[in-house]
Amino acid sequence: MPRTRHAAGLLAAALLVTVTACDSDGGDGGWGSGSAWSVQGALAQLPAAAPDATVLVQAGDLVTASEAAGVERPDDLDGQALVDWLGPLTGGPGAEEALVFVPIASLFNAPRLLQHEEFADELGFSVLDAEAFVEQSTPPATFAVVAGDLDGALRDDLPEVADGVVTAGEGEDLATDVANQTVARPLGMPLRLAERPGLVAASPGTTAVADWVAGPERTMADHDELAAVAAALDDADVLAAALATGSSMALADALGETGSPEQVAALEADLGAVLPPAPFRTVGIGWGVEDGAADVTIAYHFGTEEAAESAEPAFEAMFAEGDTLVSRQPLSELLTLDGVDRDGPVVVLDLSLPDGVGPRVVFDLYVSRDLPFAHR
């Protein structure tokens, strides 16, 4: 039976009380940190992608996640202080002690936090101003929205390239210029920026930012599968999330060119009942805290209720006897399955972490297309 979420809801409420002084009222549209935070609200900040696009969405409530992880947001842009704050949250220094993983937006260029003051000098705002964020990666472009006390945050001398859209850096959309790279623009690519009340948007694409200023007719919240997965993560009271859709997670595709058809067939036979028999192309991972311990939720959209139902026993077998594809380590040594639930075509795994395992491990398994992110 799935574990009840009642305790998680009580803890989330308690956490929100503790951060009231930093709680965002929500930017334009009511989305931000604390009581204004939700994964569904994060999706609503992003422009809709093509139906068949490959999309990765990363989002987090930096205020509440910091409080839950016991890390302190610094008062200034001292580089080492920023590393001490975000390192534990993002899988860097101190991550082994953190309860929450936050898949930080690439916009903030986390590998160069020591030089983050240069980021603020160029754009006018910094990661310290971010109370919540969401970033959509739809190769080759990205689109990020930051929420916080950001009214008038952008430098007033940035040149305008479209109505309400300014740019840091010159050149055509997506044009790289490594000779003129900066901390905010590591490839030298121009960064288009715009403001709405309490929000800043950033992308290398002018049209996407201009549409955001005008208010797009459709957003990623209108993507049926992503919206369903986001709702499941919100039901679990997650503080940070990564959602993906559009790419195959079949075992054969996970092996890529390294696996021949014979090798794939042999591995599928070896894995047997531990792989879901039906495909899924949309998945969401959420990180939170329950009863003072790290709590991870994974939600999968299988397309139909029948396909989701067939996946439940496979997931139970996977965590009981499955080994990871890369290291051949028992999956149960990395993640503990506390419950499997299903709502229509969505299967939700409730997970905790064994001693000595950090919450980033789930994101690393997703990136490598390892279990539990593969199907037959």
Side-chain angles (χ1 to χ4, degrees), residues 44-181:
Q45 309 306 312
L46 302 172
D52 58 348
T54 297
V55 178
L56 173 65
V57 175
Q58 298 165 230
D61 176 349
L62 281 173
V63 174
T64 313
S66 297
E67 184 75 17
V71 293
E72 188 172 343
R73 180 188 294 253
D75 296 325
D76 56 43
L77 291 172
D78 175 76
Q80 188 57 55
L82 292 175
V83 171
D84 292 343
W85 168 41
L86 289 176
L89 291 174
T90 59
E96 62 278 359
E97 303 296 331
L99 298 181
V100 180
F101 172 71
V102 177
I104 196 72
S106 66
L107 169 69
F108 297 122
N109 196 1
R112 296 191 64 184
L113 282 176
L114 291 173
Q115 294 84 38
H116 194 71
E117 190 168 1
E118 297 176 27
F119 178 105
D121 288 343
E122 181 174 13
L123 304 185
F125 73 99
S126 76
V127 69
L128 271 184
D129 300 307
E131 297 176 0
F133 72 87
V134 60
E135 184 176 74
Q136 167 187 335
S137 299
T138 309
T142 60
F143 188 96
V145 177
V146 181
D149 186 11
L150 290 163
D151 293 349
L154 296 178
R155 287 180 59 117
D156 56 15
D157 58 351
L158 295 175
E160 190 172 61
V161 291
D163 190 19
V165 181
V166 298
T167 186
E170 300 179 354
E172 299 295 323
D173 287 0
L174 299 171
T176 59
D177 182 6
V178 293
N180 290 298
Q181 59 184 287

Side-chain angles (χ1 to χ4, degrees), residues 318-364:
M318 180 188 296
F319 283 87
E321 57 193 70
D323 294 337
T324 60
L325 304 176
V326 176
S327 66
R328 306 305 296 168
Q329 180 179 8
L331 184 61
S332 59
E333 293 182 0
L334 299 175
L335 297 167
T336 299
L337 180 64
D338 296 317
V340 182
D341 200 1
R342 180 175 57 82
D343 184 4
V346 178
V347 173
V348 181
L349 307 186
D350 185 17
L351 306 167
S352 54
L353 301 174
D355 290 344
V357 178
R360 180 181 171 133
V361 65
V362 194
F363 191 70
D364 292 338

